[in-house]
Amino acid sequence: QRNAIGGGQMSDIIYEVTDHLGVITLNGSDAMNSLTYQLYADLEDTVRTSEARVLVITGSGRAFCAGDDMKQILGSSEPAPAQFRDRAKKTGGLTPAADALLHTDIPVIAAINGPAVGWGMELALMADIRVASELAKFGELFVLRGLCCDAPGLGRLAQLVGRETAAELLFTGDVIDAHQAKTLGLVGRTVPHEALLPTAMEIAHKIARNPPLAVQALKAGLRRTTEPDWQDTGRWAIEQITRLRGTDDSKEGVAAFLEKREPVYRGH
């Protein structure tokens, strides 16, 4: 089964299912798979409607996901269209795509083929298992745009790398390579680029051969014992992001990126 979500072969998401394994490929490679409002919605819908036993998420082209589309989302003063705002009302404010990924009982493997930055790093953090190509890079870039990260960066990063390292990554916006990510415990394994999907699929097949109800119960149990109240954390994060987007520093961070210059932050 192969579906191009959103219509057409060149959709921003391609979803393929073979032998109970679902592969979600972010397919906006011309923009490094950056997230538009529609791509967020398609990702949410794909996860919510999947009947696969395991999901593998990867990106096309040279990037895993470069985060929010700079012009449509971060660079615009216009609110999201109503149909996308309505989705957030149903999740208590938590980013709807994050809500889908954080609450699904389907195991999720991220096959990180290149840069995973901003919300792209959040997407990687929401996976249960992360396999990184040697070409992968990771960065919580939100602070460089004058923003707070989303719920996964607050609720999972410190679990993986420890609070001090998480604080450094969040406060500096530094980008680290695949080797550093493996050393810090951010990813479970790093492999040669050509071995990325075969490795992720090998793990996925091993999981899919196990009794699916038991696997789902184990994932639900991990969520109960190791994770925060995602709606509460997500609501708080979105409140902070909304507040910070109105600051001069956030506007300066976006403008400096688009104009390819160093930003000047003034604390207001």
Side-chain angles (χ1 to χ4, degrees):
Q1 177 186 347
R2 179 185 174 97
N3 294 321
I5 305 299
Q9 190 64 24
M10 295 307 293
S11 168
D12 285 341
I13 279 186
I14 293 174
Y15 179 51
E16 303 169 277
V17 181
T18 306
D19 296 332
H20 302 294
L21 303 186
V23 179
I24 298 173
T25 304
L26 304 186
N27 193 40
S29 55
D30 289 347
M32 294 183 68
N33 303 319
S34 59
L35 291 149
T36 61
Y37 291 122
Q38 188 61 55
L39 182 49
Y40 269 117
D42 290 343
L43 178 60
E44 178 194 2
D45 291 344
T46 305
V47 174
R48 290 202 194 280
T49 60
S50 175
E51 296 180 355
R53 293 184 182 182
V54 185
L55 287 172
V56 175
I57 300 179
T58 193
S60 63
R62 64 188 182 91
F64 178 70
C65 177
D68 287 346
D69 182 272
M70 191 61 67
K71 292 182 180 178
Q72 185 188 92
I73 297 180
L74 294 183
S76 173
S77 59
E78 297 295 320
Q83 68 266 35
F84 302 115
R85 295 199 305 272
D86 289 344
R87 288 172 176 260
K89 293 177 183 177
K90 298 175 183 177
T91 60
L94 178 60
T95 303
D99 182 81
L101 283 158
L102 291 168
H103 291 109
T104 182
D105 288 336
I106 303 172
V108 177
I109 300 172
I112 304 153
N113 56 300
V117 296
W119 212 86
M121 182 162 170
E122 303 288 288
L123 179 56
L125 288 170
M126 286 185 279
D128 301 291
I129 297 168
R130 281 160 292 281
V131 182
S133 157
E134 59 196 357
L135 303 180
K137 295 181 184 299
F138 300 85
E140 289 276 6
L141 304 185
F142 295 91
V143 70
L144 304 181
R145 311 290 177 253
L147 299 173
C148 172
C149 70
D150 205 350
L154 300 169
R156 283 196 171 170
L157 183 59
Q159 285 185 346
L160 293 168
V161 303
R163 190 187 185 285
E164 183 171 344
T165 299
E168 183 173 346
L169 292 172
L170 290 167
F171 298 167
T172 64
D174 283 349
V175 175
I176 61 173
D177 62 23
H179 173 73
Q180 292 171 293
K182 175 65 173 66
T183 300
L184 293 174
L186 180 59
V187 300
R189 64 197 79 193
T190 301
V191 298
H193 188 70
E194 62 274 11
L196 177 65
L197 274 178
T199 302
M201 295 301 286
E202 180 183 356
I203 299 168
H205 277 291
K206 188 179 294 186
I207 295 171
R209 286 194 294 266
N210 287 331
L213 296 179
V215 172
Q216 291 166 19
L218 288 166
K219 177 158 181 178
L222 284 172
R223 184 167 56 247
R224 286 172 62 89
T225 56
T226 65
E227 297 181 356
D229 180 330
W230 286 119
Q231 284 202 345
D232 180 67
T233 302
R235 187 183 311 111
W236 182 89
I238 294 301
E239 287 173 356
Q240 300 310 306
I241 292 168
T242 301
R243 174 181 67 85
L244 291 167
R245 281 191 65 184
T247 64
D248 291 341
D249 279 351
S250 179
K251 295 171 185 175
E252 168 66 7
V254 174
F257 175 84
L258 293 173
E259 296 166 11
K260 297 181 171 55
R261 61 174 174 80
E262 287 296 316
V264 179
Y265 299 120
R266 303 187 184 280
H268 50 78

